[in-house]
Short mmCIF file of all heavy atoms in Angstrom, two decimals:
data_model
loop_
_atom_site.label_atom_id
_atom_site.label_comp_id
_atom_site.label_asym_id
_atom_site.label_seq_id
_atom_site.Cartn_x
_atom_site.Cartn_y
_atom_site.Cartn_z
N ASN A 142 47.03 107.31 65.11
CA ASN A 142 47.47 108.50 64.39
C ASN A 142 46.67 109.77 64.73
O ASN A 142 46.35 110.56 63.86
CB ASN A 142 47.46 108.25 62.89
CG ASN A 142 48.43 107.17 62.52
OD1 ASN A 142 49.61 107.24 62.85
ND2 ASN A 142 47.95 106.12 61.86
N GLY A 143 46.31 109.90 66.01
CA GLY A 143 45.60 111.09 66.46
C GLY A 143 44.09 110.99 66.33
O GLY A 143 43.38 111.94 66.66
N ARG A 144 43.57 109.87 65.88
CA ARG A 144 42.13 109.73 65.72
C ARG A 144 41.44 109.28 67.02
O ARG A 144 40.21 109.31 67.12
CB ARG A 144 41.81 108.75 64.60
CG ARG A 144 42.17 109.31 63.23
CD ARG A 144 41.78 108.38 62.10
NE ARG A 144 42.65 107.25 61.97
CZ ARG A 144 43.75 107.22 61.22
NH1 ARG A 144 44.14 108.29 60.57
NH2 ARG A 144 44.47 106.14 61.14
N GLU A 145 42.23 108.88 68.02
CA GLU A 145 41.65 108.37 69.27
C GLU A 145 42.50 108.83 70.46
O GLU A 145 43.73 108.90 70.36
CB GLU A 145 41.64 106.85 69.20
CG GLU A 145 40.93 106.16 70.34
CD GLU A 145 40.85 104.66 70.10
OE1 GLU A 145 40.32 104.24 69.06
OE2 GLU A 145 41.36 103.93 70.97
N VAL A 146 41.83 109.14 71.57
CA VAL A 146 42.50 109.53 72.80
C VAL A 146 41.82 108.80 73.94
O VAL A 146 40.60 108.80 74.05
CB VAL A 146 42.42 111.05 73.05
CG1 VAL A 146 43.12 111.44 74.34
CG2 VAL A 146 42.96 111.85 71.88
N ARG A 147 42.61 108.17 74.82
CA ARG A 147 42.06 107.48 75.99
C ARG A 147 42.66 108.17 77.23
O ARG A 147 43.85 108.42 77.27
CB ARG A 147 42.43 106.02 75.99
CG ARG A 147 41.76 105.31 74.82
CD ARG A 147 42.09 103.87 74.77
NE ARG A 147 41.55 103.33 73.55
CZ ARG A 147 41.14 102.09 73.40
NH1 ARG A 147 41.23 101.26 74.41
NH2 ARG A 147 40.64 101.67 72.27
N PHE A 148 41.79 108.45 78.22
CA PHE A 148 42.25 109.20 79.37
C PHE A 148 41.76 108.61 80.68
O PHE A 148 40.79 107.87 80.72
CB PHE A 148 41.81 110.68 79.28
CG PHE A 148 40.35 110.87 79.53
CD1 PHE A 148 39.89 111.11 80.82
CD2 PHE A 148 39.42 110.83 78.49
CE1 PHE A 148 38.53 111.27 81.06
CE2 PHE A 148 38.08 110.99 78.72
CZ PHE A 148 37.63 111.22 80.02
N ALA A 149 42.44 108.99 81.76
CA ALA A 149 42.04 108.68 83.14
C ALA A 149 42.32 109.90 83.99
O ALA A 149 43.40 110.49 83.92
CB ALA A 149 42.82 107.46 83.68
N VAL A 150 41.34 110.29 84.81
CA VAL A 150 41.49 111.45 85.68
C VAL A 150 42.44 111.14 86.82
O VAL A 150 42.39 110.05 87.41
CB VAL A 150 40.10 111.89 86.22
CG1 VAL A 150 40.25 112.89 87.35
CG2 VAL A 150 39.25 112.48 85.09
N MET A 151 43.35 112.07 87.10
CA MET A 151 44.33 111.93 88.17
C MET A 151 43.96 112.77 89.40
O MET A 151 44.19 112.36 90.54
CB MET A 151 45.73 112.35 87.70
CG MET A 151 46.26 111.50 86.56
SD MET A 151 46.59 109.81 87.08
CE MET A 151 45.63 108.88 85.91
N THR A 152 43.44 113.97 89.20
CA THR A 152 42.97 114.81 90.31
C THR A 152 41.69 115.51 89.89
O THR A 152 41.50 115.79 88.72
CB THR A 152 44.03 115.89 90.70
OG1 THR A 152 44.22 116.78 89.61
CG2 THR A 152 45.34 115.28 91.11
N PRO A 153 40.82 115.79 90.87
CA PRO A 153 40.97 115.56 92.30
C PRO A 153 40.91 114.07 92.61
O PRO A 153 40.31 113.28 91.88
CB PRO A 153 39.80 116.31 92.92
CG PRO A 153 38.78 116.40 91.83
CD PRO A 153 39.53 116.42 90.56
N LEU A 154 41.54 113.68 93.72
CA LEU A 154 41.63 112.28 94.11
C LEU A 154 40.26 111.65 94.30
O LEU A 154 40.09 110.44 94.10
CB LEU A 154 42.46 112.13 95.38
CG LEU A 154 43.94 112.49 95.25
CD1 LEU A 154 44.64 112.36 96.59
CD2 LEU A 154 44.62 111.62 94.19
N SER A 155 39.27 112.44 94.69
CA SER A 155 37.93 111.91 94.96
C SER A 155 37.15 111.58 93.69
O SER A 155 36.08 110.98 93.76
CB SER A 155 37.14 112.89 95.82
OG SER A 155 37.09 114.15 95.17
N THR A 156 37.67 111.96 92.54
CA THR A 156 36.99 111.66 91.26
C THR A 156 37.68 110.52 90.55
O THR A 156 38.88 110.55 90.31
CB THR A 156 37.00 112.93 90.36
OG1 THR A 156 36.30 113.98 91.00
CG2 THR A 156 36.34 112.64 89.02
N MET A 157 36.89 109.50 90.24
CA MET A 157 37.37 108.35 89.46
C MET A 157 36.64 108.44 88.12
O MET A 157 35.43 108.29 88.08
CB MET A 157 37.06 107.03 90.16
CG MET A 157 37.73 106.89 91.51
SD MET A 157 39.51 106.81 91.41
CE MET A 157 39.74 105.23 90.65
N ASN A 158 37.37 108.70 87.05
CA ASN A 158 36.73 108.94 85.76
C ASN A 158 37.67 108.52 84.64
O ASN A 158 38.87 108.82 84.69
CB ASN A 158 36.40 110.43 85.65
CG ASN A 158 35.75 110.84 84.36
OD1 ASN A 158 35.32 110.01 83.57
ND2 ASN A 158 35.67 112.14 84.13
N SER A 159 37.15 107.85 83.65
CA SER A 159 37.94 107.51 82.47
C SER A 159 37.05 107.60 81.25
O SER A 159 35.81 107.60 81.36
CB SER A 159 38.54 106.11 82.59
OG SER A 159 37.53 105.14 82.63
N GLY A 160 37.67 107.69 80.10
CA GLY A 160 36.88 107.77 78.89
C GLY A 160 37.72 107.69 77.63
O GLY A 160 38.94 107.50 77.69
N GLU A 161 37.04 107.86 76.52
CA GLU A 161 37.68 107.76 75.21
C GLU A 161 37.13 108.82 74.28
O GLU A 161 35.91 109.09 74.27
CB GLU A 161 37.39 106.36 74.64
CG GLU A 161 38.05 106.13 73.31
CD GLU A 161 37.82 104.69 72.84
OE1 GLU A 161 37.98 103.76 73.62
OE2 GLU A 161 37.44 104.54 71.66
N LEU A 162 38.01 109.44 73.53
CA LEU A 162 37.64 110.39 72.49
C LEU A 162 37.95 109.81 71.14
O LEU A 162 38.97 109.19 70.96
CB LEU A 162 38.43 111.71 72.66
CG LEU A 162 38.25 112.49 73.95
CD1 LEU A 162 39.41 112.25 74.89
CD2 LEU A 162 38.12 113.95 73.64
#
Side-chain angles (χ1 to χ4, degrees):
N142 296 306
R144 291 184 284 272
E145 187 174 303
V146 180
R147 295 179 187 211
F148 73 89
V150 168
M151 299 292 125
T152 64
L154 294 177
S155 57
T156 299
M157 298 294 291
N158 179 12
S159 64
E161 182 176 314
L162 298 102

